[in-house]
Amino acid sequence: MTVGLSFLGLLLAGLPISLALAAVALIYIAVSGNLVLLQSYPQQMFGGLENYGMLALPLFILLGEFMNAGGIGRRLMALALAALPQLRGGLAYVNLGANMMMASILGSTVAQITIMARLAVPEMEKAGYPRDVSAAITAAGGLLAPIIPPSMLFIIYGVIAQVPIGEMFVAGILPGVLIFLGFCGLIGWMAQRRDFPRTPRMTRAERLRAVVEALPAALIPLSIIVSILGGFATPTESAVVASLLAILIGLFVYREMTVADIWPALVSAGRGAAVVLFLIASAQVFAWVITFANVPAAVAAWLSGLTDSPVLFLLLLNLLLLGVGMVMDPIPAIILIVPVFLPVATGVYGLDPIHFGIVLCLNLTLGLVTPPVGTGLFTASLLTRVRAERLAALLVPFLAVAFLVILLIIVWPEITLALARWL
């Protein structure tokens, strides 16, 4: 109760989300009287960032800066538009499709939103789309990262639950495609209601010119795909290679970038990365406090005594997970929840651990773009300069579509299990 009321009060007072998360942990330590925890406080905050994979975040922010400065992002978006027929809201579909491609490469929502916010949102705004809507579509596309393989969440769940990670990857394909198609349908509805710009009519010569001009720019995503999927580099290392390519192409091929542009890009990327990384560190220490207060175990004991129906159990669990996802990042949430709920799901209700894992990961994914923690939401807000409250309101229809897919998976488990069994 102390944690919740303190957090709500700090937010209402206008304190930034990252500072509020860090302050609540200190308030809980003071109220509990266990001052020994103060010794672990800086270690827990640093532990949220002590991850080699986290280094990819500032590097992908830097890549986005270089791609914009060198005119690379504009040419890649022009290439995608050249592949589309004349269509209302075409650039929005391009944004979502690019998000799905990046999801299959990165597996990280924050990194995906980071690079797409720098790449797609400025181009959509130039084409006449409202910035807030462009940012919302980009943030919604970030929901695909933890679902489309390779998924960091599936890897962590597979390790904790002792289930084959390959089967988790396969089981996530159909849910990811369903969410993508649902988002496409929603964009079609938004395009008519908000009168999105149409894809410009292009002659064959214009389409060919767009393809030729984009060939050097296409080397950048190609280098990321080949280096990661070929096992030559980690996502962090691939971001370094891609950033160097972006500099060379911007300087010597397109010549829209000068040596003087490199330093401002480094400064801008450093500022953006500092804000996002501090938010992640604050979320880690907040999750530590909730775990120490033993809140999840108490809720699990209460929930398992409510019903004998597996479907109703999953529905009730989803309501709980929505609340957990709002105050905790998915990775610490999985580490915390799986040992508590998996024995109940498999032992008491006879649920398949693969099916349970997909439902769990999908639901916690929604927390990435929901306040008050929502690192994906606040990353998109910071990088696009759209207020988080406005962004959260625009994301409600996308969250509704994703939750509908979760309900379909709960009712028809074969959506997750059929493909894995067939393969």
Side-chain angles (χ1 to χ4, degrees):
M1 182 66 73
T2 301
V3 172
L5 292 177
S6 301
F7 187 69
L8 182 60
L10 291 173
L11 288 181
L12 292 177
L15 198 68
I17 180 72
S18 54
L19 295 177
L21 290 170
V24 165
L26 291 173
I27 292 172
Y28 173 79
I29 292 172
V31 171
S32 67
N34 194 353
L35 299 182
V36 178
L37 294 177
L38 284 175
Q39 299 176 3
S40 300
Y41 184 92
Q43 296 168 342
Q44 291 292 332
M45 179 166 280
F46 179 75
L49 303 177
E50 194 179 15
N51 186 326
Y52 172 74
M54 196 68 71
L55 185 59
L57 174 62
L59 291 173
F60 276 111
I61 293 177
L62 183 62
L63 174 59
E65 294 288 345
F66 287 149
M67 291 177 73
N68 278 335
I72 296 167
R74 175 167 52 82
R75 286 174 171 85
L76 286 176
M77 297 298 284
L79 174 63
L81 282 175
L84 287 177
Q86 193 172 21
L87 178 70
R88 186 176 297 279
L91 207 51
Y93 292 106
V94 168
N95 185 351
L96 192 61
N99 267 292
M100 189 170 187
M101 182 189 73
M102 295 300 293
S104 67
I105 300 170
L106 301 176
S108 166
T109 292
V110 175
Q112 179 179 331
I113 290 177
T114 295
I115 194 168
M116 291 305 298
R118 296 296 192 191
L119 177 62
V121 173
E123 297 302 320
M124 291 182 70
E125 194 174 6
K126 289 177 187 176
Y129 292 80
R131 180 190 295 177
D132 54 356
V133 175
S134 305
I137 293 172
T138 300
L143 292 175
L144 297 169
I147 303 167
I148 302 293
S151 165
M152 183 62 70
L153 294 190
F154 289 170
I155 294 173
I156 293 172
Y157 175 82
V159 171
I160 297 174
Q162 296 295 299
V163 298
I165 295 173
E167 291 188 21
M168 287 294 298
F169 282 174
V170 173
I173 292 175
L174 286 181
V177 170
L178 286 176
I179 291 177
F180 173 76
L181 293 177
F183 285 178
C184 285
L186 183 59
I187 287 176
W189 173 76
M190 292 173 64
Q192 297 300 323
R193 186 178 181 186
R194 293 178 175 270
D195 195 28
F196 284 172
R198 286 187 176 274
T199 306
R201 186 183 297 276
M202 299 177 69
T203 65
R204 182 176 299 179
E206 289 172 334
R207 294 181 189 276
L208 181 60
R209 184 166 60 250
V211 171
V212 172
E213 287 186 358
L215 286 178
L219 290 175
I220 293 175
L222 184 63
S223 71
I224 297 174
I225 296 171
V226 172
S227 60
I228 293 178
L229 299 186
F232 305 116
T234 65
T236 301
E237 294 163 347
S238 70
V240 175
V241 174
S243 295
L244 291 174
L245 270 177
I247 293 175
L248 295 175
I249 292 172
L251 287 175
F252 303 112
V253 179
Y254 296 139
R255 299 182 180 180
E256 293 188 16
M257 183 179 178
T258 65
V259 175
D261 293 325
I262 296 178
W263 178 249
L266 289 169
V267 172
S268 179
R271 288 174 176 168
V275 173
V276 176
L277 289 173
F278 183 68
L279 175 62
I280 294 173
S282 300
Q284 170 64 26
V285 78
F286 184 74
W288 169 60
V289 164
I290 290 179
T291 305
F292 193 85
N294 204 32
V295 173
V299 175
W302 168 76
L303 186 61
S304 61
L306 290 180
T307 179
D308 295 328
S309 168
V311 172
L312 186 56
F313 166 75
L314 283 177
L315 291 174
L316 292 172
L317 179 62
N318 270 272
L319 295 177
L320 172 64
L321 293 177
L322 284 174
V324 171
M326 289 181 180
V327 297
M328 191 180 296
D329 272 352
I331 290 178
I334 286 178
I335 296 171
L336 173 65
I337 289 172
V338 171
V340 176
F341 284 103
L342 182 61
V344 177
T346 57
V348 177
Y349 296 101
L351 294 171
D352 187 288
I354 298 290
H355 175 228
F356 177 77
I358 297 296
V359 172
L360 177 73
C361 292
L362 284 180
N363 200 303
L364 291 175
T365 295
L366 303 186
L368 289 166
V369 292
T370 55
V373 176
T375 51
L377 171 69
F378 289 101
T379 297
S381 173
L382 290 167
L383 294 178
T384 60
R385 301 185 303 278
V386 176
R387 290 181 61 85
E389 308 92 272
R390 174 60 179 165
L391 205 52
L394 291 171
L395 281 168
V396 169
F398 292 96
L399 292 171
V401 169
F403 194 70
L404 179 60
V405 172
I406 294 174
L407 293 179
L408 290 174
I409 293 170
I410 290 175
V411 177
W412 290 292
E414 289 302 309
I415 294 176
T416 60
L417 301 176
L419 188 58
R421 289 172 178 168
W422 179 71
L423 292 176

